[in-house]
Amino acid sequence: MIRVSVLYPHKEGARFDWAYYTAAHVQLIERTLRPALKALSIEQGLAGGPPGSPAPFVAIAHLTFDSVPAFQAAFGPHAQEIMADVLKYTTIQPILQISEVKLGS
Amino acid sequence: MIRVSVLYPHKEGARFDWAYYTAAHVQLIERTLRPALKALSIEQGLAGGPPGSPAPFVAIAHLTFDSVPAFQAAFGPHAQEIMADVLKYTTIQPILQISEVKLGS
């Protein structure tokens, strides 16, 4: 099982439209990546480690797939449409991480 | 539901002992933070977004709790012991993020 994490780093003055992200963008992700996409979670940053520090990431999305090829096969044909949609809700350039789930789920 | 994510940024030449991390450190976390800790997942970085790029994070751990106060009450008394143990498996300074789970689990 692999996880694709999309992390939006905190940036002073950056725009992030939560209403669009959690409705329209999530719908686009679900429509284009299911059924290869096995699970999706969306997290909103609350705080960092040091007391009073801002969350390092405004938002983090985790997408679970069976394997890297399964992700690539699902994402490839829709990559351009999904990337273009990101510009509609944020000025932040997200960081993409592909990980293997070693423990837990 | 909140999630505490511990992210270990990729750093050239850094040490990360996976055997210690996934056995001894995970055991310490389970022993000290259950039952407040509801779920734990450990991910190993495989790749970044751009083709051929390294994973931005060597490892990411996600710890799920009912609330921020529940996490603080569980973590506070063991913070020093847990932080000291980190030095045993890595030279990387982890990034801590506390998030609210908005969607999914």
Side-chain angles (χ1 to χ4, degrees):
Chain A
M1 195 165 68
I2 66 120
R3 189 152 293 148
V4 177
S5 298
V6 187
L7 306 104
Y8 300 82
H10 171 81
K11 228 170 92 181
E12 214 54 61
R15 191 173 68 85
F16 197 94
D17 181 345
W18 275 95
Y20 188 95
Y21 182 55
T22 54
H25 189 67
V26 163
Q27 272 167 33
L28 173 65
I29 293 292
E30 298 271 4
R31 178 170 59 75
T32 53
L33 302 185
R34 299 271 186 191
L37 174 66
K38 300 301 178 192
L40 170 65
S41 89
I42 303 272
E43 302 169 7
Q44 182 169 20
L46 292 179
S53 66
F57 303 100
V58 174
I60 307 178
H62 300 290
L63 296 85
T64 307
F65 297 87
D66 283 337
S67 67
V68 174
F71 159 64
Q72 288 168 333
F75 182 68
H78 304 284
Q80 215 172 342
E81 183 183 1
I82 293 171
M83 304 296 257
D85 195 59
V86 173
L87 304 176
K88 295 188 187 162
Y89 60 85
T90 189
T91 50
I92 300 170
Q93 171 87 32
I95 295 171
L96 200 119
Q97 160 106 358
I98 302 173
S99 306
E100 190 190 334
V101 180
K102 298 285 279 185
L103 202 113
S105 63
Chain B
M1 195 164 67
I2 66 121
R3 189 152 292 147
V4 177
S5 298
V6 188
L7 305 104
Y8 299 84
H10 171 82
K11 226 169 91 181
E12 213 56 60
R15 191 174 67 86
F16 196 95
D17 180 345
W18 275 95
Y20 188 95
Y21 180 56
T22 54
H25 189 68
V26 163
Q27 272 166 34
L28 173 64
I29 292 292
E30 298 270 3
R31 179 171 59 74
T32 53
L33 302 185
R34 298 273 185 192
L37 174 67
K38 300 301 177 191
L40 170 66
S41 90
I42 303 272
E43 302 170 7
Q44 181 168 22
L46 292 177
S53 66
F57 303 100
V58 174
I60 307 177
H62 300 290
L63 296 85
T64 307
F65 296 88
D66 283 336
S67 66
V68 174
F71 158 64
Q72 287 168 333
F75 183 66
H78 303 285
Q80 215 173 343
E81 183 183 0
I82 293 171
M83 304 297 256
D85 196 59
V86 172
L87 304 175
K88 295 188 188 161
Y89 60 84
T90 188
T91 51
I92 300 170
Q93 170 87 30
I95 295 171
L96 200 118
Q97 161 107 359
I98 302 173
S99 306
E100 189 191 336
V101 180
K102 298 285 280 184
L103 201 114
S105 63

